[in-house]
Structure formats: C-alpha cells, structure tokens
Amino acid sequence: MVWIGALATAAVAGAGAAAGYLGLVTGALPLDVGVGRRTRPLGPQTVDVAAPREVVFDVVAQPYLGRATRAMREKVQVLERGTDMVLAAHRTPVAGGRLTAKTTETVRFTRPERIDFRLVRGPVPTVTESFVLTEHGSGTRLVYEGGLATDLWRAGQWWGDLVAPRWEATVATSLAAIRQEAERRAQAA
C-alpha cells in the first residue's frame, strides 16, 4: 500500500510539473518573483531594406496602428490603442506548432525612427526590445536589440537560455517578413 501512495504522489507531482512547464511556455503562468534576476541581451539583428524608412516604419506599425491583414490578426490582437502606444497580445506557435505562446506587450511608436516593445505578461518576467530605423544608402537599416530577464538565479538563467533563442528566431522571421513587404511596397510605388 505504501508504494501506491508513493506512486500517486509521484503522478501528482509529475502532473504539476507538466502543468507548470506548459504554463510557463505558453505565458499562461508567468513567473515574476523579482529574486535572483538575471538579464541577457537579445540581438542585435540587423536587416538592410531596399525601401524608404517611412515605408519600413509603416510595415512594422500596420498591425498595431492600422488595419491588420488576416494573417496578422491571427498573430496580433490590439487590446488598447493610444496615440503613440498600444497594448497588444501576440500569439506565437512553439514546440513544433503544438502549443501557442501568448505574450502581452506595450508597443510605443516614435515615427519614423523607433518602435519599442516591453513585455507585460509572458514566459519570462521582463523583455524590452527596440527596432531602430536609420537611413542607409538608398534604403533603411533596421536594427533589433533588447534584453530578456529571468528570476531564480541559475534556474532562471537555464530557462532564459531556452527562451532567448526561440524568441530571437521569431524576431528574425518577423524581420524577414518586414523586409519582404517593405521592398514589395517600395517597388509598387
């Protein structure tokens, strides 16, 4: 009988650990205790775009300030809109598309040179990011960089080491899409 109790306890602990992991991955169970915080850089990632800075800015800002395409509405939902800032929910497939991470971020716009993102809720306590747009030759240079913070010392650092590469890969995919759309618009003009 003792082994049945131990097995039941192990099953409950395993289910709790799995639920905690799923909660962290999807952003449903954010962990922000402010103890043992460590910050790591994100980026920089640089993309040169053969389009004017205003066009690149408009492509980045469109899902937040304008009418989003159907594909973008599946990824970004504006929850609150101000004159130069929005609160937006982002949905990103993770774990081979079996799970969806949900983050909530503020997005602040400084036309035409900067867009800043600050995580409000997600898989880590803090993320700050920026897209800085500068004129470069006949086009635009878009530089992404930021920082990702985790709590709980080494355990948090381990979690950040898992999250950061996926976060940066998602940004790289977005930057490629921004470049493609901005260059398409510039050619059509």
Side-chain angles (χ1 to χ4, degrees):
M1 287 295 176
V2 171
W3 66 273
I4 293 175
L7 186 59
T9 301
V12 168
Y21 175 76
L22 288 174
L24 281 173
V25 167
T26 62
L29 179 66
L31 180 63
D32 185 354
V33 294
V35 177
R37 184 152 293 179
R38 295 181 180 198
T39 302
R40 60 171 292 148
L42 294 171
Q45 295 182 40
T46 302
V47 177
D48 289 330
V49 184
R53 184 165 67 163
E54 283 284 340
V55 171
V56 178
F57 186 95
D58 288 342
V59 168
V60 176
Q62 182 176 355
Y64 305 103
L65 300 178
R67 183 176 168 94
T69 64
R70 178 176 297 164
M72 285 307 295
R73 283 193 304 267
E74 293 175 8
K75 296 177 183 180
V76 177
Q77 177 188 8
V78 174
L79 304 172
E80 190 75 29
R81 184 174 285 131
T83 56
D84 69 342
M85 186 170 80
V86 299
L87 178 65
H90 296 85
R91 290 179 295 285
T92 306
V94 293
R98 295 180 308 233
L99 297 173
T100 301
K102 295 177 183 161
T103 61
T104 304
E105 300 176 51
T106 60
V107 187
R108 183 175 301 275
F109 305 92
T110 307
R111 182 173 290 278
E113 66 269 359
R114 187 177 185 94
I115 300 172
D116 293 291
F117 302 81
R118 180 175 295 279
L119 183 72
V120 175
R121 181 178 177 171
V124 295
T126 304
V127 175
T128 56
E129 306 164 285
S130 64
F131 285 178
V132 177
L133 294 83
T134 56
E135 294 176 351
H136 183 73
S138 62
T140 303
R141 175 161 286 167
L142 191 162
V143 177
Y144 162 83
E145 57 188 337
L148 179 146
T150 54
D151 290 344
L152 302 177
W153 301 279
R154 191 172 293 259
Q157 183 176 352
W158 171 82
W159 181 246
D161 289 345
L162 286 176
V163 172
R166 292 179 180 139
W167 195 284
E168 289 181 314
T170 299
V171 170
T173 300
S174 294
L175 292 175
I178 290 164
R179 178 181 180 187
Q180 181 179 15
E181 177 60 15
E183 289 178 352
R184 184 195 67 76
R185 289 184 189 185
Q187 288 178 351

